[in-house]
Amino acid sequence: METDARPESEAQAVLGGGVRRFGGPVEVLELPGPRELRPDEVLIDVQACGVGNWDEFARTGGWDLGVRPPMALGVEAAGLVAAVGDRVTGIAAGDRVTVHSAPLREQGTWARRHITAAAQVAVLPTGVPVDAAAALPVPALTADQVIDGALQVRAGQTVLVHGAGGVTGGMLVQLAAHRGAKVIATAGADSAGRVSAIGADTVLDYHQRDWPEQVRALTGGGVDGAANAVRAGSAEAIRAVRDGGRLATITADLPDAERGIATQAVQVVPDGARLAGLVQLLAQGVLTVTVAGSFSLERAAAALAQARHGAHGSATVLRPSGSQHAASQR
C-alpha cells in the first residue's frame, strides 16, 4: 500500500459532519482516523463533498449505507488521492478524483478523509472545478442509469422528463438531449427558461393539471420514454407515455403497468467507469452543474436544509478542509 507522509497525530482523528443517532441533528463529530487500506481501496483527502436530499434519507435511517451512527453522512465527494491499496491500478496518490461511495466502507464523505472502493472512483480531467466534481456523481449517475439503462434512449426518440427543475432532473434533460432525443420537460414557470437552455425542446408547467394530455397532443399519442423525478409523480407521467413505451422513476413510486408500458424504479448504483465517462462530458461542457453555495463542516446542517428545500436547480457542497470559500458561508 502507498502511504502518505502526514504526521501521526493528524491521523488519530478526523472531523466529519454527521449524526450520533438516526434521526438526530447534524453536527460536527470527531471520528477515528483512517485505518490501513484493504487491497481494493483508495484513501481520499476530501476537498468538497456533495449534499443532496438523499442524505436526509441516510440521516433518518431510510437509506441503509452499511454503517451505523455515530457516522459521517455523505455519499459523493471530490479530492486528492492520499493512498491506494496494493491491488489498485489506474489510480495513484496525487490524482484528482471524484466518487459516489455506497455502501460505505467506514464513514461517509462529509469528512476530511474518506476510504472507498477503487471501483467507485473516477479520475478527474484537467480543469474540472472541485465543487462541480463533488456535486456531479449521484445526479449524473442516476440520470445515466435512467436514460441509457432503463429507458434505452436512442436518437430520434421523444423523451419526457417530469420534474426537470431540480439538479437530477436537469441531468436527465441534458443526457437525453445529448443522446439525440427530443425532450419535453415539466417544471415550474420560474424554471422554464433554465430548463430550455440546457436542452429541453418544450417545457410545460406541471401545475397545469392537463399537462399529460398536452404531451400526448404534442407527440400524437405519447412519448417513447418518460423519466419521473417528482415525488409521487409517476402515475401522472405514465399518462404521457405511448402504448408500449417505457417509464422510469427515481422516486420509488412505481405505477401499475398499463398499455404494455415497461416500468422500472431506478436507485443509483456506484460505478467508477460510468462516472469517468460522465466527468468527461462535464469537462467538455456537455453536462453542467451549478453550485449554489459551499459550506464548512460546522454548517453541514444548513447545507442539508438548503439541499432539501431546493436551490433552483443548483447543487450544494461542503468544504471539509475549512477553505476560505467555505468559511465565507459561516
Side-chain angles (χ1 to χ4, degrees):
M1 180 189 77
E2 295 186 29
T3 59
D4 66 50
R6 292 178 179 250
E8 179 70 21
S9 59
E10 187 173 339
Q12 291 177 354
V14 174
L15 293 181
V19 292
R20 299 186 186 278
R21 57 178 175 79
F22 286 131
V26 176
E27 56 187 296
V28 176
L29 306 176
E30 188 173 280
L31 305 167
R35 56 166 170 73
E36 183 176 355
L37 294 181
R38 298 168 187 154
D40 68 332
E41 291 180 335
V42 172
L43 175 64
I44 300 172
D45 278 333
V46 177
Q47 296 177 320
C49 39
V51 183
N53 55 8
W54 48 85
D55 293 308
E56 176 66 6
F57 300 138
R59 182 188 74 84
T60 58
W63 185 9
D64 183 2
L65 293 173
V67 298
R68 301 189 65 81
M71 59 181 280
L73 297 173
V75 294
E76 56 182 358
L80 296 176
V81 174
V84 301
D86 57 16
R87 294 183 186 173
V88 174
T89 60
I91 302 170
D95 283 348
R96 298 174 68 243
V97 296
T98 186
V99 65
H100 167 38
S101 189
L104 298 175
R105 293 291 180 99
E106 288 291 318
Q107 295 288 337
T109 60
W110 294 6
R112 294 186 176 180
R113 311 198 91 185
H114 177 66
I115 292 175
T116 188
Q120 298 173 354
V121 174
V123 176
L124 292 175
T126 301
V128 173
V130 67
D131 283 356
L136 180 80
V138 170
L141 282 169
T142 301
D144 192 47
Q145 289 161 14
V146 168
I147 298 300
D148 287 350
L151 298 184
Q152 300 177 20
V153 171
R154 301 186 301 275
Q157 290 186 324
T158 302
V159 172
L160 167 71
V161 177
H162 182 31
V167 177
T168 304
M171 286 287 172
L172 287 162
V173 170
Q174 293 177 78
L175 277 178
H178 180 60
R179 300 299 182 226
K182 178 180 179 180
V183 180
I184 300 175
T186 72
D190 58 345
S191 299
R194 174 170 50 82
V195 172
S196 293
I198 60 174
D201 297 276
T202 303
V203 182
L204 303 175
D205 188 344
Y206 60 71
H207 294 104
Q208 297 178 357
R209 297 182 63 181
D210 68 339
W211 70 259
E213 286 68 41
Q214 293 181 48
V215 174
R216 296 185 71 85
L218 285 168
T219 57
V223 295
D224 298 298
N228 174 58
V230 174
R231 185 174 297 181
S234 62
E236 284 186 307
I238 200 170
R239 290 162 47 199
V241 181
R242 66 167 174 81
D243 294 358
R246 296 175 182 270
L247 177 139
T249 181
I250 66 172
T251 59
D253 59 323
L254 199 63
D256 294 334
E258 60 175 83
R259 297 183 287 115
I261 296 171
T263 62
Q264 184 176 338
V266 175
Q267 183 173 358
V268 64
V269 176
D271 186 330
R274 203 165 197 160
L275 183 57
L278 293 165
V279 294
Q280 288 292 337
L281 294 180
L282 182 68
Q284 296 162 14
V286 174
L287 294 180
T288 60
V289 57
T290 301
V291 176
S294 60
F295 294 75
S296 65
L297 278 179
E298 289 79 5
R299 297 214 63 214
L304 182 56
Q306 177 172 287
R308 286 173 55 202
H309 292 101
H312 302 290
S314 297
T316 302
V317 300
L318 290 176
R319 286 291 194 114
S321 60
S323 69
Q324 182 176 356
H325 187 196
S328 70
Q329 295 288 339
R330 284 176 177 267

